[in-house]
Structures are given as structure tokens and as C-alpha cells.
Amino acid sequence: GAVVSQHPSRVICKSGTSVKIECRSLDFQATTMFWYRQFPKKSLMLMATSNEGSKATYEQGVEKDKFLINHASLTLSTLTVTSAHPEDSSFYICSARAPGLAGGIYEQYFGPGTRLTVT
Amino acid sequence: GQNIDQPTEMTATEGAIVQINCTYQTSGFNGLFWYQQHAGEAPTFLSYNVLDGLEEKGRFSSFLSRSKGYSYLLLKELQMKDSASYLCAVPDNTDKLIFGTGTRLQVFP
């Protein structure tokens, strides 16, 4: 159980276009999902917390108008990178909180990640 | 605030034992997680410690000392497939997971 999927796994887009990444919890309902960004050989950097039915909470330094997050249902959150630039190229990972499992209320299950390349 | 320290890189030999340390400073404490992450893949859950002591799970064990703000992940009988990054993480007071920089482990034959 506790499977999280992401789509697409890889995407290449041109500078100035927008890209949408989907994160789905497949076998559980996730009221809270998280979006992370990871640069090569670096750790995960939390971008925002996505709560179903309400606005996302962004971390300091993350532009909310550039990284649009929508948590439309208990199993789906989307991240849209608007007007993408080459510096937005990164590995984007989502996670969903799955309370009641081994890690208590804090445990998160991660999606497989999306590799975004902006040319 | 939260502060987590881990060594950046470690190397070990196949069949050996390696210990990856993590020290943390938190305003409160709600447990400590260890995740494994292979290059280009998402992190996978290894362990969660909330009480002091050692928890063993097959070849992997995790230790916690809350009074010392210290944890370690012990990997026994190392295999080549254990080459990965190992991330230490603690929840902050808003329930977000704060990750350390991760320790890149390379296992050599």
C-alpha cells in the first residue's frame, strides 16, 4: 500500500512555456501532499505544502505565481511551472502523508519524481 | 529551528558494515526518519525512531539517542545495491519533514 505516482516522469519543454506535473496517491487518501525540488547530488528542498481544498503554503523564497499548486481532490495534486526557464530544470518530487503507518502521522511516501529540462 | 548534520560522502567495501551518523537540533522532537534514495529515484522509507535505542530491520538498523540529538543508520553485509544516498529527516513543529543534506554511500567490490 501507500503508493504515490507522478506524471510525467520526464519532460522537456521550451523556455517560456508551462508544464504541469501530476501527483497521485493511488491507494489512500492524502489530505496533505508536499512538493520538493532536488538538484544533482543535493538533498530535497521543500517548495510547498499542498492541502486538499485550500491554498498551498509556500516555503520562503519560492514564487507562488511561478509554481502553481492545485490540490483538487484527496488523491491528486498538481504543480504547474509557468513560463519555465532553463534554471527551472530540476528533479521535482512529490510526497503524500499517510498517517497511521510505521512513521506515525509524519511519514511521507514519495512519488518517483519528474525530471524537467527546459531548453 | 531545525538543523541536521550528516557526513556528505562515505565509502565502504562489499560485505562490510557501515555506520552513517546524523545529529540534529530541533525545537521539539517528533521522531527521526531515515530514507534511502538511489540516483534519479524518489526516497524510500527505511526507518522511524521515536524512542531511544536500536531498532533492527534485517540488514539495516537505526539507533536514536534523544538526549544527545543523535542517530545512526547501520548497514550490515553491504551489497553493491546499497550504494545510494541516505537521508536523515525530522518533522518540524508544523509537521513538515526537514531533510539533512544526505550521505552518499559508495560500496566497492
Side-chain angles (χ1 to χ4, degrees), chain B residues 2 42-44 53-54 56 80 96 109:
Chain B
Q2 255 74 1
T44 55
L54 184 69
E56 298 185 68
M80 297 297 291
K96 294 177 293 190

Side-chain angles (χ1 to χ4, degrees), chain A residues 34 36 38 41-44 46 49 57 59 91 93 97 102-113 115, chain B residues 9 30-31 33 35 37 39-45 48 57 87 91-92 94-102 104:
Chain A
F34 302 88
Y36 295 85
Q38 187 174 35
K41 299 185 178 181
K42 299 293 184 182
S43 192
L44 299 170
L46 179 65
T49 302
T57 303
E59 295 300 300
F91 192 50
I93 305 176
R97 183 175 286 155
I105 66 170
Y106 306 104
E107 186 173 356
Q108 296 176 23
Y109 284 84
F110 290 84
R115 174 78 57 194
Chain B
E9 294 187 351
N30 292 303
F33 291 84
Y35 284 86
Q37 186 181 25
E41 298 180 12
T44 55
F45 172 83
Y48 174 63
K57 196 184 294 185
L87 309 174
D92 71 0
T94 63
D95 300 346
K96 294 177 293 190
L97 275 183
I98 305 301
F99 286 86
T101 54
R104 282 194 306 280

Side-chain angles (χ1 to χ4, degrees), chain B residues 8-77:
Chain B
T8 306
E9 294 187 351
M10 297 183 72
T11 59
T13 307
E14 199 174 13
I17 299 173
V18 71
Q19 178 174 311
I20 302 174
N21 296 324
C22 171
T23 57
Y24 63 89
Q25 294 173 318
T26 59
S27 52
F29 184 73
N30 292 303
L32 184 143
F33 291 84
W34 283 98
Y35 284 86
Q36 179 192 59
Q37 186 181 25
H38 286 98
E41 298 180 12
T44 55
F45 172 83
L46 288 179
S47 66
Y48 174 63
N49 294 66
V50 66
L51 299 176
D52 290 348
L54 184 69
E55 294 204 6
E56 298 185 68
K57 196 184 294 185
R59 293 189 300 114
F60 292 9
S61 303
S62 56
F63 172 84
L64 176 68
S65 168
R66 289 173 294 173
S67 62
K68 295 181 180 178
Y70 168 68
S71 173
Y72 67 72
L73 182 69
L74 191 70
L75 291 74
K76 302 177 185 176
E77 301 169 17

Side-chain angles (χ1 to χ4, degrees), chain A residues 6-35:
Chain A
Q6 267 184 256
H7 178 80
S9 57
R10 290 179 179 271
V11 58
I12 301 173
C13 71
K14 291 187 177 180
S15 191
T17 61
S18 295
V19 174
K20 179 186 283 189
I21 302 170
E22 293 187 349
C23 177
R24 294 181 185 271
S25 56
L26 298 185
D27 50 3
F28 66 100
Q29 293 184 330
T31 54
T32 304
M33 289 183 171
F34 302 88
W35 286 96

Side-chain angles (χ1 to χ4, degrees), chain A residues 16-87:
Chain A
T17 61
S18 295
V19 174
K20 179 186 283 189
I21 302 170
E22 293 187 349
C23 177
R24 294 181 185 271
S25 56
L26 298 185
D27 50 3
F28 66 100
Q29 293 184 330
T31 54
T32 304
M33 289 183 171
F34 302 88
W35 286 96
Y36 295 85
R37 184 174 181 176
Q38 187 174 35
F39 292 103
K41 299 185 178 181
K42 299 293 184 182
S43 192
L44 299 170
M45 183 191 80
L46 179 65
M47 298 174 67
T49 302
S50 170
N51 295 299
E52 186 268 338
S54 63
K55 290 183 179 180
T57 303
Y58 290 82
E59 295 300 300
Q60 193 171 9
V62 178
E63 299 176 59
K64 62 181 181 181
D65 294 330
K66 179 167 185 62
F67 298 100
L68 301 178
I69 292 172
N70 184 284
H71 196 148
S73 74
L74 287 172
T75 60
L76 173 65
S77 176
T78 60
L79 168 68
T80 302
V81 183
T82 62
S83 187
H85 290 284
E87 57 264 32

